[in-house]
């Protein structure tokens, strides 16, 4: 009986080991629809939320509501198609693709994967810039509130956001050392709680303002052309504002750039695509209702005078300063998590290729594994990768911080990011992969419908890109030459930060 007992113990031990890893040899994923929803809400309801009231003021009640609903439906449909591409060829039991780019590479080939990587990582990097701009504004608002309470309402307390941008950057340098998406799960859950909290505060204060008498509640078609509110609005300015507003709304639904990375945290039972579809339905319905409520209430409260960042309007609530400060604090905490969720795919991409380089340098004749976790068995190679990670992630945050200081144009930056990334990442690649994966026949009714959908959003994106670029140009005219000097310094710093330390480490 003793040998049999030993066999049973060995089988149990073998089963435990098999449960500790997934079918690709990586540590077992334990995520579910709720952890995925936390990541999703953290990624979506970020910087773009605060510009929705301004976007509604440019477009109006009717068109603004219609555009939000159309974007929600298009995003839900295309992201559901994308979730089926995580495994290939079978969506439930095929080989895993750990990143968006790997999905495109497996289905559409290397050339399209290159364009996907360019769009995805540019969008993610731009999002970290937007998060830094908003977070520094919130820190500055808290400092301004403290100054008013300490020295009186008539004291000039204009806070310079540059120093607070540096503070937020320092915080991100610390949190950027968390190794992967799995380890920032707790940060996403905390950020989701913060999102609910500050949203409730902003909604409540905006509703109180909207209930007051004697001010505009907005119009059906937004800011009118002509003289209104002591400002003359030309047709050109109206068109520019509408295009930027649509770009901002696109940015608010732009989460597909990290959808596959979120799906890669899910447990394989039930199949990941089924879990992800449930998460997408819950997440998009929630965010759409939230966007409609926040954008509509903010527009009703401030009308044509709605600011680009809704938080800046809350400064007028002197009698409940503590509540406004609390909302800003919640936003700062929430953006710390959003920054990390957005940056982790970039970190993983660069460090994966760095690990391949170090592996080849230490063991040049070894065959490289196909999965993303490379067994760096020698201590020297592990040390190289650790040092590389510290220098690379720190320099990434430094560069993000400097660009945020150079271009603090909130609405124009968001509009440009949304216009550039929404069409390729949310519309084009998911549809193209779906047609290739499931062999949609040319000129069939489904094929024609998908082509029309892609063409429509392509035209929208081109229009929004043009409007946002012009908006940035107009904003730069109003500023001094200092941002241009910072931009030149950013380029030089980029060369120094990236080339010198990394060349030393690799060599």
């Amino acid at each position: 009986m003793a040998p049999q007992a030993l066999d049973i113990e060995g089988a149990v031990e073998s089963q435990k080991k098999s449960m500790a890893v997934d079918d690709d040899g990586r540590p077992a994923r334990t995520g579910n629809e709720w952890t995925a929803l936390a990541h999703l809400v953290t990624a979506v309801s970020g910087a773009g939320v605060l510009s929705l009231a301004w976007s509604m003021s440019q477009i109006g009640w009717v068109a603004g509501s219609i555009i939000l609903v159309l974007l929600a439906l298009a995003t839900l449909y295309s992201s559901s198609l994308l979730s089926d591409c995580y495994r290939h060829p079978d969506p439930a039991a095929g080989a895993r693709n750990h990143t968006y780019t790997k999905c495109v590479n497996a289905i559409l080939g290397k050339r399209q994967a290159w364009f996907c990587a360019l769009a995805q990582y540019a969008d993610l990097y731009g999002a970290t810039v937007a998060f830094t701009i908003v977070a520094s504004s919130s820190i500055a608002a808290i400092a301004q509130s403290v100054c008013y309470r300490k020295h009186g309402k008539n004291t000039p307390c204009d806070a310079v956001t540059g120093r607070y941008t540096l503070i937020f950057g320092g915080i991100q340098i610390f949190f950027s050392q968390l190794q992967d998406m799995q380890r920032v799960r707790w940060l996403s859950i905390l950020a989701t709680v913060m999102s609910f909290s500050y949203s409730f505060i902003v909604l409540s204060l905006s509703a109180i303002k909207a209930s007051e008498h004697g001010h505009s509640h907005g119009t059906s078609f937004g800011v009118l052309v002509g003289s209104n509110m002591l400002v003359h609005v030309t047709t050109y300015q109206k068109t520019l504002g509408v295009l930027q507003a649509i770009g901002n709304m696109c940015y608010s639904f732009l989460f597909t750039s990290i959808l596959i990375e979120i799906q890669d945290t899910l447990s394989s039972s039930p199949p990941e695509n089924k879990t992800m579809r449930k998460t997408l339905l819950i997440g998009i319905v929630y965010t759409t209702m939230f966007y409609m409520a926040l954008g509509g209430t903010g527009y009703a409260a401030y009308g044509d005078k709605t600011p680009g960042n809704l938080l800046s309007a809350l400064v007028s609530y002197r009698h409940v300063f503590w509540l406004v400060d609390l909302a800003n604090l919640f936003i700062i905490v929430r953006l710390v998590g959003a920054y990390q969720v957005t940056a982790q795919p970039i970190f993983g991409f660069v460090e994966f290729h760095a690990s391949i380089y170090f592996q080849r340098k230490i063991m040049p004749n070894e065959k490289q594994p196909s999965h993303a976790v490379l067994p760096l068995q020698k201590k020297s190679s592990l040390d190289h990768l650790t040092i590389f990670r510290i220098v690379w992630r720190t320099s990434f945050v430094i560069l993000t911080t400097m660009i945020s200081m150079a271009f603090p144009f909130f609405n124009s930056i968001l509009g440009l990011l949304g216009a550039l990334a929404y069409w390729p990442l949310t519309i084009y690649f998911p549809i193209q992969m779906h047609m290739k994966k499931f062999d949609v026949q040319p000129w069939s009714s489904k094929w024609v419908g998908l082509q029309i959908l892609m063409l429509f959003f392509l035209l929208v994106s081109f229009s929004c890109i043009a409007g946002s670029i012009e908006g940035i140009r107009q904003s730069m005219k109003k500023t001094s030459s200092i941002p241009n000097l910072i931009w030149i310094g950013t380029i030089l710093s980029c060369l120094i930060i990236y080339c010198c330390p990394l060349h030393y480490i690799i060599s």
Side-chain angles (χ1 to χ4, degrees), residues 183-244:
R183 289 184 172 88
V184 300
R185 180 189 303 176
W186 65 271
L187 201 54
S188 290
I189 295 173
L190 177 61
T192 303
V193 174
M194 296 295 102
S195 178
F196 279 107
S197 301
Y198 81 74
S199 299
F200 178 76
I201 294 174
V202 173
L203 275 172
S204 300
L205 294 180
S206 297
I208 292 172
K209 180 69 175 179
S211 64
E212 296 176 358
H213 298 288
H215 71 278
S216 172
H217 290 281
T219 63
S220 300
F221 299 99
V223 176
L224 300 177
V225 175
S227 298
N228 52 83
M229 295 292 180
L230 303 179
V231 177
H232 183 74
V233 179
T234 64
T235 303
Y236 175 76
Q237 291 173 329
K238 171 68 176 180
T239 304
L240 192 65
V242 168
L243 293 177
Q244 289 185 38

Side-chain angles (χ1 to χ4, degrees), residues 73-110:
L73 293 175
T75 303
L76 177 60
Y77 177 70
S78 61
S79 54
S80 298
L81 300 182
L82 180 58
S83 66
D84 289 333
C85 300
Y86 172 65
R87 288 183 180 268
H88 182 72
D90 184 83
R96 296 174 185 266
N97 295 298
H98 308 294
T99 65
Y100 196 150
T101 305
K102 286 187 177 182
C103 288
V104 177
N105 184 49
I107 300 173
L108 300 179
K110 289 185 178 180

Side-chain angles (χ1 to χ4, degrees), residues 342-363:
T342 303
Q344 284 298 328
I346 306 178
F347 295 157
F349 174 80
V350 173
E351 289 160 17
F352 169 64
H353 290 283
S355 64
I356 292 177
Y357 174 85
F358 292 129
Q359 183 83 348
R360 287 174 177 168
K361 185 174 180 180
I362 300 301
M363 295 176 287

Side-chain angles (χ1 to χ4, degrees), residues 200-413:
F200 178 76
I201 294 174
V202 173
L203 275 172
S204 300
L205 294 180
S206 297
I208 292 172
K209 180 69 175 179
S211 64
E212 296 176 358
H213 298 288
H215 71 278
S216 172
H217 290 281
T219 63
S220 300
F221 299 99
V223 176
L224 300 177
V225 175
S227 298
N228 52 83
M229 295 292 180
L230 303 179
V231 177
H232 183 74
V233 179
T234 64
T235 303
Y236 175 76
Q237 291 173 329
K238 171 68 176 180
T239 304
L240 192 65
V242 168
L243 293 177
Q244 289 185 38
I246 296 175
N248 288 354
M249 289 181 175
C250 289
Y251 183 81
S252 299
F253 284 99
L254 189 59
F255 62 87
T256 48
S257 53
I258 60 170
L259 187 146
I260 296 297
E261 283 78 0
I262 293 174
Q263 193 167 344
D264 194 43
T265 66
L266 295 175
S267 171
S268 57
S269 179
E272 298 89 349
N273 62 331
K274 292 185 178 180
T275 304
M276 200 67 207
R277 284 174 181 268
K278 293 180 182 178
T279 300
L280 288 169
L281 181 60
I282 297 172
I284 292 179
V285 168
Y286 157 73
T287 53
T288 304
M289 294 174 61
F290 168 62
Y291 288 169
M292 295 280 284
L294 188 60
T297 307
Y299 181 36
Y302 299 100
D304 291 346
K305 293 183 178 181
T306 303
N309 185 340
L310 188 57
L311 277 176
S312 62
L314 301 181
V315 179
S316 59
Y317 289 93
R318 307 287 188 196
H319 54 289
V320 286
F321 60 85
W322 60 271
L323 193 58
V324 178
D325 291 349
L326 194 61
N328 279 296
L329 179 61
F330 288 158
I331 288 173
I332 295 167
V333 176
R334 184 249 175 278
L335 291 177
V336 169
Y339 188 107
Q340 289 306 314
V341 170
T342 303
Q344 284 298 328
I346 306 178
F347 295 157
F349 174 80
V350 173
E351 289 160 17
F352 169 64
H353 290 283
S355 64
I356 292 177
Y357 174 85
F358 292 129
Q359 183 83 348
R360 287 174 177 168
K361 185 174 180 180
I362 300 301
M363 295 176 287
N365 298 322
E366 292 289 331
K367 183 179 179 181
Q368 303 304 319
S370 59
H371 52 80
V373 179
L374 294 178
L376 299 173
Q377 297 168 350
K378 297 204 174 182
K379 187 177 186 300
S380 58
S381 65
L382 181 60
D383 290 343
H384 274 75
L385 186 60
T386 302
I387 296 173
F388 178 90
R389 179 185 293 119
I390 294 172
V391 175
W392 144 244
R393 295 190 179 197
T394 301
S395 56
F396 174 92
V397 176
I398 291 174
L399 185 60
T400 302
T401 304
M402 295 186 70
I403 293 178
S404 302
M405 295 173 67
F407 298 101
F409 312 130
F410 180 68
N411 294 103
S412 299
I413 291 294

Side-chain angles (χ1 to χ4, degrees), residues 132-133 135-144 147 156-171 401-402 404-406 408 486:
T132 305
I133 293 173
S136 59
S137 299
S138 293
I139 299 174
I142 294 176
Q144 191 177 45
C147 177
C157 293
D158 295 330
V160 180
T161 58
R163 71 183 70 171
Y164 304 111
T165 305
L166 294 176
I167 292 174
F168 185 77
I171 295 172
T401 304
M402 295 186 70
S404 302
M405 295 173 67
I486 296 177

